[in-house]
Structures are given as C-alpha cells and as structure tokens.
Amino acid sequence: MGRPELGALVGAAAVFLFFAVVTSTFITAGALGTVLYSASTIGIMAVPVALLMIGGEFDLSAGVLVTTAALASSMVSYQFTAVTWVGVAVSLLVTLGIGLFNGWVLTRTRLPSFIVTLGTFLMLTGANLGVTKLVDGTVATKSIADMQGYRSCAWLFAGSFTVGGLTVRATVWWWLGLVLAASWILLRTRFGNWIFAVGGDADAARAVGVPVGRTRIALYLGVGLCAWILGQHLLFSFDTVQSGEGVGNELIYIVAAVIGGCLITGGYGSAAGSALGAAIFGMTSKGIVYAQWDPDWFKFFLGAMLLLATLLNSWVRRRAERG
C-alpha cells in the first residue's frame, strides 16, 4: 500500500474498464495496439523524466530535444554522408552533449533546473527551426528513405510485428526495456540510492559522501539517451522531420511521471509508475477517439488527473512514512 505507483495502478485499471464499457472497439486487438503505441511514445521519455524528478530536478527541454535528435540524424545523413547510421551516431553524441550541458550548468551555477532547462528549451526551439531553414531551405528535412542503412535503422527504431491481430511497434519494446532497466537501477544499485538521496535532501546526501553533481549529470545524460531513441523513431517512421515538433511534450512527460507517483519535491517515485502514467495517457487519448467524443476534453482530463494524482501521491507518501 505504500508503493508510489499505487494510485497510477488503480487509475489505469479504472480508465481501462471505463472505456471498455463505453465502447467495445476499445478492447479489440487493433485498438489495443494503437493504445500501446501511443503510451510508448510518451513512456520512453517519461522514464528518464521520472528518475530526474525523483532526483529533485526538472527538464523543460525534453520535448524539443527529441526533435533535435531527429533533425541532427537526418541532416548529417543527408548533407555529409549517404549512410544513415552515421547520422544516428552523431545524433547520439549531440543529445548526450546537451544532457551533459544541462547537468554541468546546473551543478556549476546552482541555478534551479527550471531556469537552466527553460533556457535550453528556448535555445533548442530556435536552433531547430533556424538551422533547418539554413541547411535545407525549409522547415522540414529532406527524405532519407533511399540512403544506405535506412531499412536496418527503420527496423530497429520504427519496426513492428503482429501477433493475433495485435501490432506491437518498436517503441513498445524500447519502452519496456527502459522501464525494466530504470527499475533495476532504482531498486538494486547504489546509484539508485544516490538518486533518492539527492532528491530527498541534497545537502544531507553530500554530507555523507554522495556525489550529488555526478548523479545529476548522469540523470540528464539519461534524458539525452532516451530523447535520442524517440527522435530516431520519429525520423525513421516518416523519413522526414518537421522542425517545430516537440514543443509542449515536456509537460506531458512530467505529468505522466507525476500521475505515476513522482512527487514534485523529489525523493519519491518509481519507473514502473511512470509507465502506468504513460499508459493512462495512451488509453485516454485513444479511448476518447474510439468513443467519438470531442478530443478537446482530453486536456481537461489531463489537468484533473494531475491534481488528483498529486493529492493521492502525497497521501500515499504520508501513509508510508507513518508505517
């Protein structure tokens, strides 16, 4: 009863049962595949964002960083080589570099992560649009579908397989792998203890020898890694990228983590909870469509879930502390 993901588990079950009753289409294999895909595209980024929030920090640049990863991969492949794997590798270095920059500035200046990553968000938003226009002459990249390595990259980052009518996209297995890895790190490693300690009280953690700065930098590197994965999926799903995408998605990742049990104040949460939060998003966004409701209500639901989840998470934590 004291687990952080308790509220998200109850909420996910309630949302699933609700839409299963409202519309029979929701429980078909095709619809469940669509829901899983929608949840996974949020869940891939919700995992590192959850770890970052457990460590007491935020990253407002996470949404546009995904687009940066896709743009870097596409433009490097198109402009400098004819091999997509080269662009993929350079894109990884770019996203890890941005994550390192966020973590380094945060530790060196002691500025709030809200300010640091807001600045990065604005810089990336402008750079995505400006560099794309400068290099390609438009707001979108050129197609790379005919380049060497495209098929293997597309299989890895945007492939799919079908079992009994249920189509499972590549993002689903990336998502599940990240959730398992993050859960193991949090619950079975010394670094996981450091994350909780830094989020609970950074000064106390530093006093007992926890490398607070390195822990924060590693968490931002994790955000960069996952942004690279999702960015490659974005690119190899459509073979071109719009430079203005991703703005606003960072709030969705944060809300998914909060619904999953993470506290805004840090020191509490789980990777499994972030997965449940993403699943609630996926079920709701697609369930509204299958029920043929006005999709504008999705934002209303988002705000209501955020408030309810925050209240429930605080209650669960207080109960766990008393126990």
Short mmCIF file of all heavy atoms in Angstrom, two decimals, residues 45-112:
data_model
loop_
_atom_site.label_atom_id
_atom_site.label_comp_id
_atom_site.label_asym_id
_atom_site.label_seq_id
_atom_site.Cartn_x
_atom_site.Cartn_y
_atom_site.Cartn_z
N MET A 45 10.08 8.70 -22.79
CA MET A 45 10.63 9.90 -22.17
C MET A 45 10.16 10.07 -20.73
O MET A 45 10.83 10.72 -19.93
CB MET A 45 10.24 11.13 -22.98
CG MET A 45 10.97 11.26 -24.30
SD MET A 45 12.76 11.28 -24.11
CE MET A 45 13.00 12.79 -23.20
N ALA A 46 9.02 9.48 -20.38
CA ALA A 46 8.54 9.59 -19.00
C ALA A 46 9.46 8.86 -18.03
O ALA A 46 9.59 9.26 -16.87
CB ALA A 46 7.12 9.03 -18.89
N VAL A 47 10.15 7.82 -18.50
CA VAL A 47 11.07 7.06 -17.62
C VAL A 47 12.23 7.93 -17.14
O VAL A 47 12.43 8.07 -15.91
CB VAL A 47 11.58 5.79 -18.34
CG1 VAL A 47 12.70 5.15 -17.53
CG2 VAL A 47 10.45 4.80 -18.54
N PRO A 48 13.04 8.54 -18.03
CA PRO A 48 14.14 9.37 -17.52
C PRO A 48 13.66 10.62 -16.81
O PRO A 48 14.32 11.10 -15.88
CB PRO A 48 14.94 9.72 -18.78
CG PRO A 48 13.94 9.65 -19.88
CD PRO A 48 13.04 8.51 -19.50
N VAL A 49 12.51 11.16 -17.23
CA VAL A 49 11.97 12.33 -16.55
C VAL A 49 11.56 11.96 -15.12
O VAL A 49 11.75 12.74 -14.18
CB VAL A 49 10.78 12.91 -17.35
CG1 VAL A 49 10.00 13.93 -16.51
CG2 VAL A 49 11.27 13.56 -18.64
N ALA A 50 11.02 10.75 -14.93
CA ALA A 50 10.65 10.29 -13.59
C ALA A 50 11.90 10.16 -12.72
O ALA A 50 11.90 10.59 -11.56
CB ALA A 50 9.92 8.95 -13.68
N LEU A 51 12.96 9.57 -13.26
CA LEU A 51 14.19 9.45 -12.49
C LEU A 51 14.74 10.82 -12.12
O LEU A 51 15.24 11.03 -11.01
CB LEU A 51 15.24 8.66 -13.28
CG LEU A 51 15.32 7.15 -13.00
CD1 LEU A 51 14.00 6.46 -13.32
CD2 LEU A 51 16.47 6.53 -13.78
N LEU A 52 14.64 11.75 -13.07
CA LEU A 52 15.12 13.12 -12.82
C LEU A 52 14.30 13.77 -11.72
O LEU A 52 14.85 14.46 -10.84
CB LEU A 52 15.04 13.93 -14.11
CG LEU A 52 15.80 15.25 -14.17
CD1 LEU A 52 17.29 15.01 -14.00
CD2 LEU A 52 15.54 15.94 -15.51
N MET A 53 12.98 13.55 -11.73
CA MET A 53 12.13 14.14 -10.70
C MET A 53 12.37 13.49 -9.34
O MET A 53 12.32 14.17 -8.31
CB MET A 53 10.66 14.01 -11.10
CG MET A 53 10.28 14.89 -12.29
SD MET A 53 8.53 14.74 -12.72
CE MET A 53 7.77 15.46 -11.26
N ILE A 54 12.64 12.19 -9.32
CA ILE A 54 12.99 11.54 -8.05
C ILE A 54 14.26 12.17 -7.50
O ILE A 54 14.42 12.34 -6.28
CB ILE A 54 13.16 10.03 -8.26
CG1 ILE A 54 11.83 9.39 -8.65
CG2 ILE A 54 13.70 9.37 -6.99
CD1 ILE A 54 11.94 7.95 -9.08
N GLY A 55 15.17 12.55 -8.41
CA GLY A 55 16.39 13.24 -8.01
C GLY A 55 16.21 14.71 -7.71
O GLY A 55 17.19 15.42 -7.44
N GLY A 56 14.96 15.18 -7.76
CA GLY A 56 14.66 16.55 -7.37
C GLY A 56 14.84 17.59 -8.45
O GLY A 56 14.90 18.79 -8.14
N GLU A 57 14.89 17.18 -9.74
CA GLU A 57 15.13 18.14 -10.82
C GLU A 57 14.07 18.02 -11.90
O GLU A 57 13.28 17.06 -11.92
CB GLU A 57 16.52 17.93 -11.42
CG GLU A 57 17.66 17.97 -10.42
CD GLU A 57 17.83 19.32 -9.74
OE1 GLU A 57 17.29 20.32 -10.24
OE2 GLU A 57 18.50 19.37 -8.69
N PHE A 58 14.08 18.99 -12.84
CA PHE A 58 13.17 19.00 -13.99
C PHE A 58 13.99 19.14 -15.27
O PHE A 58 15.16 19.52 -15.23
CB PHE A 58 12.20 20.18 -13.91
CG PHE A 58 11.18 20.08 -12.82
CD1 PHE A 58 11.40 20.69 -11.59
CD2 PHE A 58 10.00 19.39 -13.01
CE1 PHE A 58 10.46 20.60 -10.58
CE2 PHE A 58 9.05 19.29 -12.00
CZ PHE A 58 9.29 19.90 -10.78
N ASP A 59 13.35 18.85 -16.39
CA ASP A 59 13.95 19.13 -17.69
C ASP A 59 12.86 19.62 -18.64
O ASP A 59 12.11 18.83 -19.20
CB ASP A 59 14.65 17.91 -18.26
CG ASP A 59 15.51 18.25 -19.48
OD1 ASP A 59 15.37 19.38 -19.99
OD2 ASP A 59 16.32 17.41 -19.90
N LEU A 60 12.79 20.93 -18.81
CA LEU A 60 11.78 21.51 -19.70
C LEU A 60 12.20 21.46 -21.17
O LEU A 60 11.42 21.85 -22.03
CB LEU A 60 11.53 22.97 -19.30
CG LEU A 60 10.95 23.19 -17.90
CD1 LEU A 60 10.73 24.67 -17.65
CD2 LEU A 60 9.65 22.42 -17.72
N SER A 61 13.41 20.97 -21.44
CA SER A 61 13.86 20.87 -22.83
C SER A 61 13.65 19.48 -23.41
O SER A 61 14.01 19.23 -24.57
CB SER A 61 15.35 21.23 -22.92
OG SER A 61 16.15 20.29 -22.23
N ALA A 62 13.07 18.56 -22.64
CA ALA A 62 12.96 17.17 -23.07
C ALA A 62 12.14 17.01 -24.35
O ALA A 62 12.47 16.19 -25.21
CB ALA A 62 12.35 16.32 -21.96
N GLY A 63 11.08 17.79 -24.52
CA GLY A 63 10.23 17.66 -25.69
C GLY A 63 10.94 18.05 -26.97
O GLY A 63 10.94 17.31 -27.96
N VAL A 64 11.57 19.22 -26.99
CA VAL A 64 12.24 19.68 -28.21
C VAL A 64 13.55 18.94 -28.43
O VAL A 64 14.06 18.89 -29.55
CB VAL A 64 12.49 21.21 -28.18
CG1 VAL A 64 11.18 21.97 -28.27
CG2 VAL A 64 13.25 21.62 -26.94
N LEU A 65 14.12 18.35 -27.37
CA LEU A 65 15.35 17.57 -27.53
C LEU A 65 15.10 16.35 -28.41
O LEU A 65 15.99 15.93 -29.15
CB LEU A 65 15.87 17.15 -26.16
CG LEU A 65 17.22 16.42 -26.14
CD1 LEU A 65 18.31 17.25 -26.81
CD2 LEU A 65 17.62 16.07 -24.71
N VAL A 66 13.91 15.78 -28.34
CA VAL A 66 13.55 14.66 -29.22
C VAL A 66 13.61 15.11 -30.68
O VAL A 66 14.17 14.40 -31.54
CB VAL A 66 12.14 14.14 -28.87
CG1 VAL A 66 11.68 13.11 -29.89
CG2 VAL A 66 12.12 13.54 -27.47
N THR A 67 13.07 16.27 -30.97
CA THR A 67 13.11 16.80 -32.33
C THR A 67 14.53 17.11 -32.75
O THR A 67 14.92 16.87 -33.90
CB THR A 67 12.24 18.07 -32.43
OG1 THR A 67 10.92 17.77 -31.96
CG2 THR A 67 12.15 18.56 -33.87
N THR A 68 15.33 17.66 -31.84
CA THR A 68 16.74 17.93 -32.13
C THR A 68 17.47 16.65 -32.53
O THR A 68 18.28 16.64 -33.46
CB THR A 68 17.43 18.56 -30.91
OG1 THR A 68 16.77 19.78 -30.57
CG2 THR A 68 18.89 18.85 -31.20
N ALA A 69 17.19 15.55 -31.82
CA ALA A 69 17.82 14.27 -32.13
C ALA A 69 17.46 13.81 -33.53
O ALA A 69 18.32 13.33 -34.29
CB ALA A 69 17.39 13.23 -31.10
N ALA A 70 16.19 13.95 -33.89
CA ALA A 70 15.76 13.53 -35.23
C ALA A 70 16.36 14.42 -36.31
O ALA A 70 16.81 13.94 -37.36
CB ALA A 70 14.23 13.56 -35.31
N LEU A 71 16.37 15.73 -36.07
CA LEU A 71 16.92 16.67 -37.05
C LEU A 71 18.42 16.43 -37.27
O LEU A 71 18.90 16.44 -38.41
CB LEU A 71 16.68 18.10 -36.59
CG LEU A 71 15.23 18.60 -36.59
CD1 LEU A 71 15.13 19.96 -35.91
CD2 LEU A 71 14.70 18.68 -38.02
N ALA A 72 19.15 16.24 -36.19
CA ALA A 72 20.60 16.02 -36.30
C ALA A 72 20.89 14.77 -37.11
O ALA A 72 21.76 14.77 -38.00
CB ALA A 72 21.22 15.91 -34.91
N SER A 73 20.17 13.70 -36.84
CA SER A 73 20.38 12.45 -37.56
C SER A 73 20.07 12.61 -39.04
O SER A 73 20.83 12.17 -39.91
CB SER A 73 19.49 11.36 -36.96
OG SER A 73 19.69 10.12 -37.62
N SER A 74 18.96 13.27 -39.34
CA SER A 74 18.54 13.44 -40.73
C SER A 74 19.49 14.33 -41.52
O SER A 74 19.94 13.98 -42.62
CB SER A 74 17.13 14.02 -40.77
OG SER A 74 16.72 14.26 -42.10
N MET A 75 19.85 15.48 -40.96
CA MET A 75 20.67 16.44 -41.70
C MET A 75 22.10 15.96 -41.88
O MET A 75 22.71 16.16 -42.94
CB MET A 75 20.62 17.80 -41.02
CG MET A 75 19.30 18.52 -41.21
SD MET A 75 19.29 20.24 -40.65
CE MET A 75 19.14 19.99 -38.90
N VAL A 76 22.66 15.29 -40.87
CA VAL A 76 24.02 14.76 -41.02
C VAL A 76 24.03 13.68 -42.09
O VAL A 76 24.94 13.63 -42.95
CB VAL A 76 24.53 14.21 -39.68
CG1 VAL A 76 25.80 13.38 -39.87
CG2 VAL A 76 24.79 15.34 -38.70
N SER A 77 23.04 12.80 -42.08
CA SER A 77 22.97 11.73 -43.08
C SER A 77 22.82 12.31 -44.49
O SER A 77 23.48 11.87 -45.43
CB SER A 77 21.79 10.79 -42.78
OG SER A 77 21.95 10.17 -41.53
N TYR A 78 21.96 13.30 -44.65
CA TYR A 78 21.67 13.84 -45.97
C TYR A 78 22.78 14.75 -46.50
O TYR A 78 23.13 14.70 -47.67
CB TYR A 78 20.35 14.63 -45.93
CG TYR A 78 19.86 15.07 -47.28
CD1 TYR A 78 19.05 14.24 -48.03
CD2 TYR A 78 20.20 16.33 -47.81
CE1 TYR A 78 18.60 14.62 -49.28
CE2 TYR A 78 19.75 16.72 -49.06
CZ TYR A 78 18.95 15.87 -49.79
OH TYR A 78 18.52 16.26 -51.03
N GLN A 79 23.34 15.58 -45.64
CA GLN A 79 24.29 16.59 -46.10
C GLN A 79 25.73 16.09 -46.19
O GLN A 79 26.49 16.57 -47.03
CB GLN A 79 24.25 17.81 -45.15
CG GLN A 79 22.90 18.51 -45.07
CD GLN A 79 22.49 19.16 -46.38
OE1 GLN A 79 23.34 19.54 -47.20
NE2 GLN A 79 21.19 19.28 -46.60
N PHE A 80 26.12 15.14 -45.35
CA PHE A 80 27.53 14.78 -45.26
C PHE A 80 27.84 13.35 -45.69
O PHE A 80 28.96 13.06 -46.10
CB PHE A 80 28.04 15.00 -43.83
CG PHE A 80 27.94 16.42 -43.38
CD1 PHE A 80 26.94 16.81 -42.50
CD2 PHE A 80 28.82 17.39 -43.85
CE1 PHE A 80 26.82 18.12 -42.09
CE2 PHE A 80 28.71 18.70 -43.44
CZ PHE A 80 27.71 19.08 -42.56
N THR A 81 26.90 12.45 -45.54
CA THR A 81 27.13 11.06 -45.93
C THR A 81 25.86 10.53 -46.59
O THR A 81 24.83 11.17 -46.60
CB THR A 81 27.46 10.16 -44.72
OG1 THR A 81 26.27 9.96 -43.96
CG2 THR A 81 28.53 10.80 -43.84
N ALA A 82 25.98 9.30 -47.10
CA ALA A 82 24.81 8.62 -47.64
C ALA A 82 24.46 7.42 -46.77
O ALA A 82 23.77 6.51 -47.20
CB ALA A 82 25.05 8.18 -49.08
N VAL A 83 24.99 7.40 -45.53
CA VAL A 83 24.78 6.28 -44.63
C VAL A 83 24.02 6.78 -43.39
O VAL A 83 24.52 7.64 -42.66
CB VAL A 83 26.12 5.64 -44.20
CG1 VAL A 83 25.86 4.45 -43.29
CG2 VAL A 83 26.93 5.23 -45.42
N THR A 84 22.84 6.24 -43.16
CA THR A 84 22.01 6.74 -42.06
C THR A 84 22.61 6.43 -40.69
O THR A 84 22.38 7.18 -39.74
CB THR A 84 20.60 6.13 -42.14
OG1 THR A 84 20.70 4.70 -42.14
CG2 THR A 84 19.88 6.59 -43.40
N TRP A 85 23.39 5.35 -40.58
CA TRP A 85 23.96 5.00 -39.29
C TRP A 85 24.94 6.06 -38.79
O TRP A 85 25.11 6.23 -37.58
CB TRP A 85 24.65 3.64 -39.36
CG TRP A 85 23.70 2.50 -39.32
CD1 TRP A 85 23.34 1.69 -40.35
CD2 TRP A 85 22.94 2.05 -38.18
NE1 TRP A 85 22.41 0.76 -39.94
CE2 TRP A 85 22.15 0.96 -38.62
CE3 TRP A 85 22.86 2.46 -36.86
CZ2 TRP A 85 21.29 0.27 -37.76
CZ3 TRP A 85 22.01 1.78 -36.00
CH2 TRP A 85 21.23 0.71 -36.45
N VAL A 86 25.58 6.78 -39.71
CA VAL A 86 26.48 7.86 -39.31
C VAL A 86 25.68 8.98 -38.64
O VAL A 86 26.05 9.50 -37.59
CB VAL A 86 27.26 8.41 -40.52
CG1 VAL A 86 28.10 9.62 -40.11
CG2 VAL A 86 28.14 7.33 -41.13
N GLY A 87 24.56 9.35 -39.27
CA GLY A 87 23.70 10.37 -38.67
C GLY A 87 23.15 9.94 -37.32
O GLY A 87 23.06 10.75 -36.39
N VAL A 88 22.81 8.65 -37.18
CA VAL A 88 22.30 8.13 -35.92
C VAL A 88 23.35 8.27 -34.82
O VAL A 88 23.05 8.69 -33.70
CB VAL A 88 21.87 6.65 -36.08
CG1 VAL A 88 21.61 6.01 -34.73
CG2 VAL A 88 20.63 6.56 -36.96
N ALA A 89 24.61 7.94 -35.16
CA ALA A 89 25.69 8.03 -34.18
C ALA A 89 25.97 9.48 -33.77
O ALA A 89 26.15 9.78 -32.58
CB ALA A 89 26.96 7.39 -34.74
N VAL A 90 25.99 10.37 -34.75
CA VAL A 90 26.23 11.79 -34.45
C VAL A 90 25.10 12.34 -33.60
O VAL A 90 25.32 13.13 -32.67
CB VAL A 90 26.39 12.59 -35.76
CG1 VAL A 90 26.44 14.09 -35.46
CG2 VAL A 90 27.65 12.16 -36.49
N SER A 91 23.88 11.93 -33.91
CA SER A 91 22.72 12.39 -33.14
C SER A 91 22.83 11.98 -31.68
O SER A 91 22.50 12.75 -30.77
CB SER A 91 21.44 11.82 -33.74
OG SER A 91 20.31 12.15 -32.97
N LEU A 92 23.33 10.77 -31.42
CA LEU A 92 23.52 10.32 -30.04
C LEU A 92 24.51 11.21 -29.32
O LEU A 92 24.29 11.60 -28.16
CB LEU A 92 24.01 8.87 -30.03
CG LEU A 92 24.34 8.28 -28.66
CD1 LEU A 92 23.13 8.31 -27.74
CD2 LEU A 92 24.87 6.86 -28.80
N LEU A 93 25.60 11.57 -29.99
CA LEU A 93 26.59 12.46 -29.37
C LEU A 93 25.99 13.84 -29.08
O LEU A 93 26.29 14.45 -28.05
CB LEU A 93 27.80 12.60 -30.29
CG LEU A 93 28.63 11.33 -30.52
CD1 LEU A 93 29.76 11.60 -31.52
CD2 LEU A 93 29.19 10.80 -29.20
N VAL A 94 25.14 14.31 -29.99
CA VAL A 94 24.52 15.63 -29.81
C VAL A 94 23.59 15.63 -28.59
O VAL A 94 23.66 16.52 -27.73
CB VAL A 94 23.73 16.03 -31.08
CG1 VAL A 94 22.87 17.27 -30.81
CG2 VAL A 94 24.69 16.32 -32.23
N THR A 95 22.73 14.63 -28.48
CA THR A 95 21.76 14.61 -27.37
C THR A 95 22.47 14.39 -26.03
O THR A 95 22.10 15.00 -25.02
CB THR A 95 20.71 13.52 -27.58
OG1 THR A 95 21.35 12.26 -27.78
CG2 THR A 95 19.84 13.83 -28.78
N LEU A 96 23.49 13.51 -26.02
CA LEU A 96 24.24 13.33 -24.78
C LEU A 96 25.00 14.60 -24.41
O LEU A 96 25.11 14.95 -23.22
CB LEU A 96 25.24 12.17 -24.93
CG LEU A 96 24.64 10.77 -25.02
CD1 LEU A 96 25.73 9.73 -25.19
CD2 LEU A 96 23.78 10.44 -23.81
N GLY A 97 25.49 15.32 -25.44
CA GLY A 97 26.17 16.58 -25.17
C GLY A 97 25.24 17.62 -24.56
O GLY A 97 25.63 18.35 -23.64
N ILE A 98 24.00 17.68 -25.04
CA ILE A 98 23.03 18.63 -24.48
C ILE A 98 22.66 18.23 -23.05
O ILE A 98 22.53 19.08 -22.16
CB ILE A 98 21.78 18.71 -25.38
CG1 ILE A 98 22.16 19.32 -26.74
CG2 ILE A 98 20.68 19.54 -24.72
CD1 ILE A 98 21.06 19.25 -27.77
N GLY A 99 22.48 16.92 -22.81
CA GLY A 99 22.22 16.46 -21.45
C GLY A 99 23.37 16.79 -20.51
O GLY A 99 23.16 17.22 -19.38
N LEU A 100 24.60 16.59 -21.01
CA LEU A 100 25.78 16.93 -20.21
C LEU A 100 25.83 18.43 -19.92
O LEU A 100 26.17 18.85 -18.80
CB LEU A 100 27.04 16.50 -20.96
CG LEU A 100 28.40 16.81 -20.29
CD1 LEU A 100 28.50 16.09 -18.96
CD2 LEU A 100 29.54 16.44 -21.22
N PHE A 101 25.48 19.23 -20.92
CA PHE A 101 25.47 20.69 -20.74
C PHE A 101 24.48 21.08 -19.65
O PHE A 101 24.80 21.88 -18.76
CB PHE A 101 25.10 21.37 -22.06
CG PHE A 101 24.85 22.84 -21.93
CD1 PHE A 101 25.91 23.75 -21.88
CD2 PHE A 101 23.55 23.34 -21.87
CE1 PHE A 101 25.67 25.11 -21.75
CE2 PHE A 101 23.31 24.70 -21.75
CZ PHE A 101 24.38 25.59 -21.69
N ASN A 102 23.26 20.53 -19.70
CA ASN A 102 22.25 20.85 -18.68
C ASN A 102 22.74 20.48 -17.29
O ASN A 102 22.63 21.26 -16.33
CB ASN A 102 20.95 20.12 -18.99
CG ASN A 102 20.12 20.79 -20.07
OD1 ASN A 102 20.26 21.98 -20.31
ND2 ASN A 102 19.29 20.02 -20.73
N GLY A 103 23.28 19.27 -17.15
CA GLY A 103 23.75 18.82 -15.85
C GLY A 103 24.94 19.61 -15.34
O GLY A 103 25.01 19.94 -14.16
N TRP A 104 25.87 19.93 -16.25
CA TRP A 104 27.06 20.67 -15.85
C TRP A 104 26.71 22.09 -15.41
O TRP A 104 27.19 22.56 -14.38
CB TRP A 104 28.05 20.72 -17.01
CG TRP A 104 29.32 21.43 -16.68
CD1 TRP A 104 30.41 20.95 -16.01
CD2 TRP A 104 29.64 22.81 -16.99
NE1 TRP A 104 31.38 21.91 -15.88
CE2 TRP A 104 30.93 23.06 -16.48
CE3 TRP A 104 28.96 23.82 -17.67
CZ2 TRP A 104 31.55 24.30 -16.61
CZ3 TRP A 104 29.57 25.06 -17.80
CH2 TRP A 104 30.86 25.29 -17.28
N VAL A 105 25.87 22.79 -16.17
CA VAL A 105 25.47 24.14 -15.80
C VAL A 105 24.74 24.13 -14.47
O VAL A 105 24.95 25.00 -13.62
CB VAL A 105 24.59 24.77 -16.90
CG1 VAL A 105 24.00 26.10 -16.44
CG2 VAL A 105 25.39 24.97 -18.18
N LEU A 106 23.88 23.14 -14.28
CA LEU A 106 23.11 23.04 -13.04
C LEU A 106 24.04 22.89 -11.82
O LEU A 106 23.87 23.57 -10.81
CB LEU A 106 22.16 21.84 -13.12
CG LEU A 106 21.23 21.63 -11.93
CD1 LEU A 106 20.16 22.70 -11.90
CD2 LEU A 106 20.59 20.25 -12.01
N THR A 107 25.03 22.01 -11.95
CA THR A 107 25.92 21.76 -10.82
C THR A 107 26.90 22.90 -10.58
O THR A 107 27.28 23.17 -9.45
CB THR A 107 26.70 20.45 -11.03
OG1 THR A 107 27.42 20.51 -12.26
CG2 THR A 107 25.74 19.27 -11.06
N ARG A 108 27.33 23.56 -11.65
CA ARG A 108 28.31 24.62 -11.51
C ARG A 108 27.72 25.93 -11.00
O ARG A 108 28.35 26.68 -10.25
CB ARG A 108 29.01 24.87 -12.85
CG ARG A 108 29.87 23.73 -13.34
CD ARG A 108 31.11 23.54 -12.50
NE ARG A 108 32.04 24.65 -12.65
CZ ARG A 108 33.21 24.74 -12.05
NH1 ARG A 108 33.60 23.77 -11.24
NH2 ARG A 108 34.00 25.78 -12.22
N THR A 109 26.51 26.24 -11.44
CA THR A 109 25.91 27.54 -11.12
C THR A 109 24.96 27.47 -9.93
O THR A 109 24.63 28.52 -9.36
CB THR A 109 25.13 28.08 -12.32
OG1 THR A 109 24.03 27.21 -12.62
CG2 THR A 109 26.04 28.19 -13.54
N ARG A 110 24.48 26.24 -9.59
CA ARG A 110 23.47 26.06 -8.53
C ARG A 110 22.16 26.77 -8.86
O ARG A 110 21.35 27.04 -7.96
CB ARG A 110 24.00 26.56 -7.18
CG ARG A 110 25.27 25.89 -6.70
CD ARG A 110 25.02 24.44 -6.31
NE ARG A 110 26.22 23.80 -5.78
CZ ARG A 110 26.54 23.77 -4.49
NH1 ARG A 110 25.76 24.37 -3.61
NH2 ARG A 110 27.63 23.16 -4.09
N LEU A 111 21.95 27.09 -10.15
CA LEU A 111 20.67 27.67 -10.55
C LEU A 111 19.58 26.60 -10.50
O LEU A 111 19.86 25.41 -10.63
CB LEU A 111 20.76 28.23 -11.97
CG LEU A 111 21.57 29.50 -12.18
CD1 LEU A 111 21.71 29.79 -13.68
CD2 LEU A 111 20.92 30.69 -11.49
N PRO A 112 18.32 26.99 -10.33
CA PRO A 112 17.24 26.00 -10.37
C PRO A 112 17.18 25.33 -11.75
O PRO A 112 17.42 25.98 -12.77
CB PRO A 112 15.98 26.84 -10.11
CG PRO A 112 16.47 28.09 -9.46
CD PRO A 112 17.83 28.35 -10.01
#
